[in-house]
Amino acid sequence: MTKRHLYRAFALCLGVIALFNIYLAFDLESPPKLIIRNLRQQSKIDMLFLGNSLLNRALDEDAFKDSWPGPVAPPALFNACLPASSPVEHYLFAREAFRDHPSIKYVVYDIYDRQLTEIPIGNWDQLVGGMAMAYYVEPDIAKSLYYPGSNYDQMRFRLISFIPMLRERFSVWHHIENQRHRMERAGMPPILDKGALVSVFHELGYPEKTQFIRDCKSAVQNSSGFTPAIEFLFRLAAEKGSKVFVIDMPMQSNHREFYYSSSAWIRYRGYLKEKLEARGITFVDATDWAQDSDFLDDIHLNDEGAKKFSCRLSVTLAKQKEP
């Protein structure tokens, strides 16, 4: 093989890679892109829901609206909760929402473990799926939140953000798998694989209990403030005049007993509640709003549980919606 053939093969490979990156940049639909597109198409948003898969799964919009006490019409809702996400993505969604809908009246935010006070992890194997939106939605903000004080990590993050096949590596595989399943099921009726759904919902992972307790104690002893992404989110809502509700979500009894019965967690939770209420943020304790039969797994509600939760949440927020 001559050098000319090698150069041609090399140029062909580069061309294929370039075309593939262009396709990913403009044609690949990811959940964050769909949420942002839908958000921009809304004529009005009164109540913005932010968070991860817990609230995403628990919010039944029809049940919420039907339970809203009259005579005032229920608020216009928008669910921007994203499975497999961190406070960084939640803050980015909030910025997008307020940019297009500056008159949002209420922000409803769910909490999971210590996400209000700990710096989110932005490792290579973490920033995939929904969290990959940090690479293409205001990446200069995202890099400072994931890697505060690390110029090297911020530079690496920014370089990845310019290459779609790197930043969307998980979405590419997910897209291929979806196409494969569609071809396998060609001509057959659609099915909902509840098992697969639950497995996707486990993206948050469960912490090691001893370390979890140690971190709770440390946060209280050191008077840890809110993590920067959360701090910015709360400030943005305050600047726009929006009332914020923070929801401590329901969990199955065995999960609550294992993780949340310790004195360290109880003190940590009380510490958070005090800090939130000092800022005029309403803390809603929904931990016991569901029975064990209302769950898909340890932490995610099933359809019936979501209806019950949404009905109660609607009535609770309606009673406390005024500052």
Side-chain angles (χ1 to χ4, degrees), residues 87 109-118 225-228 230-231 234 246 268 272 276 283:
Y109 188 66
D110 74 341
I111 59 173
Y112 178 76
D113 286 346
R114 299 185 308 101
Q115 73 180 36
L116 292 188
T117 58
E118 65 180 349
F226 297 123
T227 190
I230 294 294
E231 182 67 35
F234 290 163
V246 169
Y268 174 76
L272 288 181
L276 291 167
F283 180 86

Side-chain angles (χ1 to χ4, degrees), residues 53-54 57-58 112 194-206 250-256 290-303 305:
S53 60
L54 275 70
R57 177 63 195 167
Y112 178 76
K194 286 288 185 72
L197 184 64
V198 173
S199 68
V200 170
F201 283 156
H202 274 286
E203 86 288 338
L204 293 171
Y206 299 151
M251 308 276 176
Q252 268 197 341
S253 58
N254 61 342
H255 190 85
R256 293 203 310 268
Q291 299 176 342
D292 286 353
S293 59
D294 293 325
F295 288 85
L296 282 170
D297 55 24
D298 287 349
I299 60 177
H300 297 94
L301 292 168
N302 58 29
D303 291 344

Side-chain angles (χ1 to χ4, degrees), residues 10-24:
F10 184 67
L12 178 62
C13 289
L14 289 179
V16 170
I17 292 174
L19 289 174
F20 185 53
N21 276 279
I22 292 172
Y23 164 74
L24 294 179

Side-chain angles (χ1 to χ4, degrees), residues 47-49 55 59 64 68-69 75 77 106-109 243-247 282-284 289 309-322:
M47 184 173 287
L48 175 68
F49 289 81
L55 188 53
L59 181 62
F64 187 98
W68 190 264
L77 312 180
Y106 315 106
V107 174
V108 183
Y109 188 66
K243 183 172 178 57
V244 179
F245 299 93
V246 169
I247 315 298
T282 300
F283 180 86
V284 178
W289 284 12
F309 170 85
S310 298
C311 289
R312 187 164 177 178
L313 182 65
S314 178
V315 174
T316 299
L317 298 190
K319 290 179 180 179
Q320 302 184 55
K321 65 182 180 358
E322 298 303 329

Side-chain angles (χ1 to χ4, degrees), residues 18-314:
L19 289 174
F20 185 53
N21 276 279
I22 292 172
Y23 164 74
L24 294 179
F26 294 101
D27 289 335
L28 186 63
E29 289 282 20
S30 64
K33 291 178 182 178
L34 290 173
I35 290 175
I36 292 174
R37 186 178 68 190
N38 290 337
L39 188 154
R40 291 172 177 170
Q41 292 174 348
Q42 300 300 308
S43 59
K44 180 183 180 183
I45 297 177
D46 295 318
M47 184 173 287
L48 175 68
F49 289 81
L50 295 170
N52 48 48
S53 60
L54 275 70
L55 188 53
N56 178 279
R57 177 63 195 167
L59 181 62
D60 184 317
E61 294 188 28
D62 290 335
F64 187 98
K65 293 176 181 177
D66 291 343
S67 300
W68 190 264
V72 180
L77 312 180
F78 188 81
N79 184 355
C81 297
L82 178 69
S85 61
S86 82
V88 174
E89 290 76 56
H90 308 158
Y91 173 56
L92 295 178
F93 274 136
R95 288 177 59 86
E96 289 286 332
F98 279 111
R99 186 176 296 118
D100 293 317
H101 305 276
S103 60
I104 293 172
K105 298 177 181 178
Y106 315 106
V107 174
V108 183
Y109 188 66
D110 74 341
I111 59 173
Y112 178 76
D113 286 346
R114 299 185 308 101
Q115 73 180 36
L116 292 188
T117 58
E118 65 180 349
I119 299 294
I121 298 174
N123 296 337
W124 168 260
D125 58 347
Q126 293 283 334
L127 294 184
V128 296
M131 293 175 69
M133 71 174 282
Y135 286 123
Y136 54 82
V137 178
E138 299 191 275
D140 286 332
I141 291 177
K143 72 178 183 181
S144 66
L145 295 174
Y146 271 122
Y147 312 108
S150 175
N151 292 331
Y152 169 77
D153 286 328
Q154 289 189 18
M155 180 180 67
R156 177 176 57 86
F157 173 91
R158 203 65 181 94
L159 288 174
I160 293 172
S161 73
F162 290 120
I163 306 174
M165 66 184 300
L166 294 181
R167 74 188 190 208
E168 295 279 15
R169 56 195 180 277
F170 181 87
S171 297
V172 171
W173 177 250
H174 183 67
H175 180 69
I176 293 172
E177 281 293 288
N178 281 343
Q179 294 300 328
R180 183 176 67 82
H181 285 302
R182 288 194 185 100
M183 288 187 286
E184 286 179 350
R185 301 281 309 170
M188 300 178 67
I191 60 172
L192 175 62
D193 185 350
K194 286 288 185 72
L197 184 64
V198 173
S199 68
V200 170
F201 283 156
H202 274 286
E203 86 288 338
L204 293 171
Y206 299 151
E208 195 278 319
K209 185 176 181 180
T210 303
Q211 185 63 47
F212 179 71
I213 292 174
R214 188 181 301 120
D215 290 340
C216 288
K217 290 180 179 179
S218 176
V220 175
Q221 292 170 355
N222 297 328
S223 298
S224 299
F226 297 123
T227 190
I230 294 294
E231 182 67 35
F232 294 151
L233 194 161
F234 290 163
R235 287 183 187 177
L236 177 62
E239 290 171 1
K240 299 296 184 179
S242 300
K243 183 172 178 57
V244 179
F245 299 93
V246 169
I247 315 298
D248 197 358
M249 297 293 291
M251 308 276 176
Q252 268 197 341
S253 58
N254 61 342
H255 190 85
R256 293 203 310 268
E257 179 65 25
F258 188 77
Y259 283 106
Y260 307 131
S261 61
S262 69
S263 59
W265 170 259
I266 293 172
R267 286 195 297 270
Y268 174 76
R269 186 172 176 271
Y271 171 73
L272 288 181
K273 185 174 184 290
E274 182 180 332
K275 286 181 64 66
L276 291 167
E277 291 180 345
R279 301 180 65 147
I281 296 172
T282 300
F283 180 86
V284 178
D285 181 4
T287 53
D288 60 353
W289 284 12
Q291 299 176 342
D292 286 353
S293 59
D294 293 325
F295 288 85
L296 282 170
D297 55 24
D298 287 349
I299 60 177
H300 297 94
L301 292 168
N302 58 29
D303 291 344
E304 187 61 30
K307 289 180 181 178
K308 295 177 183 177
F309 170 85
S310 298
C311 289
R312 187 164 177 178
L313 182 65
S314 178

